[in-house]
Amino acid sequence: MLKKQGGLRMRTKISNLLMLFFLVFTLAGCGGGSNSTSSEIIDGEQNSDTAEPMESENESVSNVEEEQRTLRISIGVNDKHPEYEGAMKFKELVESKTDDFNIEVYHSGQIADDRSAIEMLQFGTLEITIPSTSPLVNFVREYGVFDLPFTISSGEVADKVLDGPFGDKMLELVESQNLVGLAWWENGFRNLTNSVRPVEKVEDLKGLKIRTMENEIHLDAWRELGANPTPMAFTELFAAMQQGTVDGQENPYPTIELSNFYEVQDYLSGTGHVYTPFIFLFSKSVWDELTPEQQTIISDAAVEAGEFNRIRNREAAEESLEALKGFMTFSEISPEEHKRFQEKILPVIEKHKSNIGEDIVEEFLTELEKYQ
Ligand code: KDG
């Protein structure tokens, strides 16, 4: 039995060895590296430049994963908004140029609202956020120039000022706050909605509880116009309107439509009272860990995605206004009434000029005069 068994065992061993050799040679032929084509394997002349053994391919994959850094982008609006489209364009541009980064876009305030996201960038616990400039005034007071009502007259004028020396200077100012300002995107011209009455003239604002961004200039402006403003993070706004905590808010048409504000607001007024930029911010402590090449890729992508965002935002503003006219009672504000709005809030501009900085306000207004 043993012998027989011994012979059987020997035959088994030989056949196992033969099977193993067959298996090894078969696998070696198939696993000629991800770059090998079937023709190269058939030719048997695998080009050493393309054929990579499995283990080095695995190593190269694991190396990419190891070295790849995740950059998270936090925005407050949802994934229908042109700002989200811009963030996805940024992701596409960066990931097409380098394997060094995995870009993750978090919309609808999933990570934080504007002000908290800015603070997270300062601590290096978040890499990117693209807020309205208004909350940034709590960190860099000069940013208040963008909250002075009725100053910027069109998106094209905004582009010229923001993409010129004045915009560059403003981007540099955030460095003192452990932030890197990389590009200007567009939120747009803000318009009033409310659930109480049509607003066609200044007097119609009396007593309306209006949510504003967390920004003293906005609060003062609506107080001066006779409303009862309250500051609130964007992430809390829809619920506040739904529960009647506030009567109204002000935002560009795309935000009003794409955030479904028309479900909880009845009246829309084309006030266009201020143009708000979005600013592409990067955490400086994270930025300083990147190579110059990586910084260039990210900076160029932020600018290019911003140009895309502006185009999409202007298209969306027209589309959204038309859509909102079907859901809400729309009131145009006549040029005469616009003038009354402007005259009424002049004291607010005078009061805040000193808080913002007389020189930077004058520089901003002088720059605007070149184009409008
Ligand atoms: O993603 C942008 C939002 O977080 C916010 O900036 C939008 O204009 C806005 C607001 O009213 O808070």
Side-chain angles (χ1 to χ4, degrees):
M1 279 297 281
L2 276 179
K3 192 169 179 329
K4 197 174 177 188
Q5 277 180 347
L8 176 63
R9 245 202 313 275
M10 179 55 76
R11 277 201 304 277
T12 307
K13 272 188 177 176
I14 290 167
S15 66
N16 286 348
L17 272 173
L18 287 174
M19 282 290 286
L20 183 64
F21 276 119
F22 172 74
L23 201 59
V24 165
F25 281 112
T26 307
L27 281 177
C30 294
S34 56
N35 302 316
S36 305
T37 60
S38 51
S39 58
E40 284 163 321
I41 294 172
I42 291 165
D43 295 347
E45 296 296 320
Q46 279 185 347
N47 175 343
S48 58
D49 296 342
T50 56
E52 289 166 2
M54 288 297 287
E55 58 281 356
S56 72
E57 188 179 85
N58 283 336
E59 277 165 23
S60 65
V61 169
S62 60
N63 285 345
V64 166
E65 279 159 10
E66 269 163 32
E67 288 158 17
Q68 203 172 51
R69 177 166 197 160
T70 295
L71 300 179
R72 295 164 302 151
I73 302 176
S74 170
I75 59 174
V77 289
N78 63 30
D79 56 356
K80 301 189 196 73
H81 197 282
E83 186 180 35
Y84 177 81
E85 292 178 56
M88 294 306 288
K89 171 62 81 173
F90 171 80
K91 171 182 170 72
E92 175 196 316
L93 289 168
V94 171
E95 293 180 355
S96 69
K97 291 177 183 167
T98 174
D99 289 334
D100 295 355
F101 301 108
N102 168 44
I103 311 287
E104 294 178 350
V105 182
Y106 292 89
H107 59 82
S108 307
Q110 293 165 323
I111 292 182
D113 59 68
D114 284 359
R115 189 165 179 172
S116 307
I118 293 168
E119 288 164 351
M120 289 175 74
L121 261 58
Q122 290 182 306
F123 293 116
T125 53
L126 175 67
E127 294 78 24
I128 300 168
T129 190
I130 315 170
S132 293
T133 53
S134 305
L136 200 53
V137 176
N138 299 290
F139 304 85
V140 184
R141 61 190 173 84
E142 293 86 348
Y143 270 72
V145 294
F146 299 123
D147 297 304
L148 296 175
F150 302 110
T151 45
I152 293 176
S153 61
S154 72
E156 290 68 25
V157 169
D159 298 351
K160 288 187 175 8
V161 173
L162 293 172
D163 296 346
F166 183 82
D168 293 344
K169 178 175 183 175
M170 294 303 288
L171 289 177
E172 286 165 14
L173 285 178
V174 304
E175 291 229 357
S176 64
Q177 295 298 313
N178 199 32
L179 302 167
V180 182
L182 293 179
W184 296 105
W185 291 23
E186 180 175 272
N187 192 354
F189 285 95
R190 308 182 73 91
N191 300 283
L192 178 73
T193 67
N194 84 90
S195 57
V196 176
R197 66 177 87 94
V199 171
E200 295 168 342
K201 55 187 184 304
V202 172
E203 291 74 16
D204 296 337
L205 287 166
K206 189 161 179 51
L208 287 181
K209 293 179 291 184
I210 302 295
R211 174 269 179 179
T212 74
M213 293 183 282
E214 294 159 290
N215 175 294
E216 281 306 318
I217 304 168
H218 282 245
L219 284 166
D220 279 354
W222 289 103
R223 277 189 204 106
E224 195 68 31
L225 289 167
N228 176 17
T230 182
M232 185 183 295
F234 183 75
T235 46
E236 297 161 22
L237 177 52
F238 188 92
M241 293 188 290
Q242 198 169 35
Q243 293 153 17
T245 314
V246 295
D247 298 323
Q249 63 82 48
E250 41 85 59
N251 249 291
Y253 294 134
T255 302
I256 296 168
E257 188 219 352
L258 302 170
S259 308
N260 300 333
F261 286 179
Y262 55 84
E263 292 175 357
V264 290
Q265 297 277 275
D266 303 313
Y267 305 101
L268 173 64
S269 303
T271 50
H273 51 279
V274 72
Y275 173 93
T276 304
F278 280 140
I279 180 170
F280 191 107
L281 294 174
F282 205 101
S283 168
K284 184 149 184 355
S285 47
V286 176
W287 182 258
D288 291 343
E289 293 168 2
L290 305 183
T291 66
E293 295 75 23
Q294 290 173 330
Q295 290 176 347
T296 300
I297 288 172
I298 287 170
S299 178
D300 290 352
V303 171
E304 186 174 344
E307 289 160 0
F308 170 78
N309 156 262
R310 283 167 169 172
I311 292 166
R312 277 296 304 125
N313 202 57
R314 285 162 201 173
E315 290 168 354
E318 289 179 20
E319 294 156 7
S320 292
L321 174 57
E322 286 317 302
L324 289 169
K325 285 177 178 176
F327 298 128
M328 303 175 81
T329 302
F330 178 63
S331 303
E332 291 276 7
I333 304 294
S334 68
E336 297 73 26
E337 270 309 312
H338 254 130
K339 202 144 185 58
R340 291 188 66 230
F341 269 84
Q342 292 183 46
E343 285 160 4
K344 187 85 174 157
I345 52 175
L346 272 176
V348 173
I349 294 182
E350 288 313 311
K351 169 187 173 185
H352 282 277
K353 264 185 176 177
S354 54
N355 299 348
I356 298 166
E358 300 275 357
D359 294 349
I360 197 83
V361 171
E362 282 317 306
E363 196 176 332
F364 175 59
L365 297 176
T366 304
E367 197 66 16
L368 283 176
E369 279 164 15
K370 291 179 186 172
Y371 308 108
Q372 52 190 28

